[in-house]
Structures are given as C-alpha cells and as structure tokens.
Amino acid sequence: MADLKDFAEQLVNLTVKEVNELATILKDEYGIEPAAAAVAMAGPAGGGDDAAEEQTEFDVILKAAGGSKLAVVKLVKELTGAGLKDAKELVDNAPSPIKEGIAKDEAEAIKSQLEEAGAEVELK
C-alpha cells in the first residue's frame, strides 16, 4: 500500500514536460493513449459554422492570483498535475490557461475552486 502512495506522489509531482514524456512512452511502447493528452491535442474544428453552434469545450484562464497567491499555486498544482515550479510559473505568468478543451461543468467547478482560493478566473 505504501508503494502505491509513493507512486501516486511521484505522479502528482511530475512536471508538464515529464507528463508529455510519459504519455509518449505509454503510447509508443504500450499502445495506450492517455485521455488527458487526447483532450489537450484535440482543438476546435475549423469552420465558420462553429460560432452558431453551442460551445461544448471551455478553457479555464487564470487572470490573476489575487491576494492568496500560495493557495492559488497549490490549487493550480493539484488541478493540472504539474509540479510546484510549473504551477508557480502558470500563476506568475497570468493570464494563462489552466485547463483547455474541457466540459462546461468541469470548467465551472474549476473556476469556483480557484475563485474560492482568491483568484480571478475567466471561462472562454
């Protein structure tokens, strides 16, 4: 059981670069396509008709950290699975996307969590 907790801790502390490398290894060596990588790679389809359709994918954009920057950094780390350094860079470089191409319910939940931590957030 302790081994699984250590493994989970290692996964949570991966940087964005390490997550991308892991996704590549899983795909190339084991034929597993990680869902998060698939969502990140899937962009909106081009075409003028898209504006008329109801938006189904949303981006959560951190506009500002607010007064409680440390709490926001910790939450961004938790939400993105990024390492502490990467999460801090996302917060320091606001406005920056936290999650992209996600469902409306998930986007609104993330927005409310970040706002509770004191951040200014926008959905696009």
Side-chain angles (χ1 to χ4, degrees):
M1 187 73 155
D3 290 338
L4 288 177
K5 287 186 179 189
D6 291 339
F7 180 66
E9 183 69 27
Q10 289 175 338
L11 285 175
V12 169
N13 290 320
L14 289 177
T15 64
V16 173
K17 181 180 177 184
E18 291 169 332
V19 169
N20 287 333
E21 289 175 13
L22 176 60
T24 302
I25 291 169
L26 289 173
K27 182 179 178 186
D28 294 346
E29 294 184 19
Y30 300 98
I32 299 171
E33 184 76 35
V39 170
M41 291 179 191
D49 297 337
D50 290 351
E53 296 177 16
E54 184 177 342
Q55 184 175 354
T56 58
E57 292 185 346
F58 293 83
D59 297 341
V60 179
I61 310 296
L62 176 69
K63 292 175 67 176
S68 184
K69 183 178 173 182
L70 181 59
V72 173
V73 169
K74 286 181 179 179
L75 185 56
V76 167
K77 178 184 179 290
E78 180 183 316
L79 292 170
T80 62
L84 185 60
K85 180 180 178 186
D86 292 331
K88 183 180 181 305
E89 286 178 11
L90 279 172
V91 173
D92 287 343
N93 296 324
S96 56
I98 301 302
K99 291 267 190 166
E100 297 178 306
I102 59 175
K104 183 177 183 178
D105 293 341
E106 183 181 359
E108 288 177 348
I110 291 171
K111 179 182 179 188
S112 67
Q113 287 178 323
L114 286 166
E115 287 176 341
E116 286 176 19
E120 290 182 40
V121 183
E122 174 183 29
L123 296 181
K124 287 189 175 186

